[in-house]
Amino acid sequence: MTNNQSFHSEQAPAPVGKYPHARKVGNLLFLSGIGPRNPVDNSIPGLTLSPSGHYTTFDFEAQCHSVFQNVKHVLESCGARWEDLVDITVFLTNMERDFPVYNRIYGEYFAGESAPCRTTLGINSLPTPIAIELKCIAAVPN
């Protein structure tokens, strides 16, 4: 029987549906999509919306840093480390506007030869008014 355990992190934003933050199967840790929402108050760093739902302030760089921190929190809650990441799928809601900033910040977090594999996708929307979400896989000891 393969080890199969689910995890929930109090330091990461609550899932927007019925799913765990992560699930470990064997030595692989699969993270659900993680966004930049603040786990304390559910706000979105760098984003202010008007009462009608339009952006009044938007700072994509703040969302990038926040999503990386949220991923780190989930990893740590599972007993894993940032360096254990082996594959990341990134979802951006505006590839043309946000990819250069994202790519630069990604390089700051993953300097060196041990960077995980990566796929970046441009999509129409995410379930909350965020502009970035990461889906990650880590290899961890059993």
Side-chain angles (χ1 to χ4, degrees), residues 3-10 12 15 19-26 28-32 34 73-80 140-141:
N3 177 22
N4 188 335
Q5 182 180 5
S6 62
F7 296 89
H8 178 78
S9 173
E10 296 299 324
Y19 55 86
H21 280 123
R23 181 171 294 279
K24 183 178 180 191
V25 179
L28 294 177
L29 182 66
F30 299 88
L31 275 62
S32 295
I34 305 288
H73 289 310
V74 171
L75 289 168
E76 290 167 1
S77 293
C78 300
V140 296

Side-chain angles (χ1 to χ4, degrees), residues 48-59:
T48 307
L49 296 174
S50 70
S52 61
H54 295 94
Y55 293 167
T56 57
T57 60
F58 178 80
D59 181 353

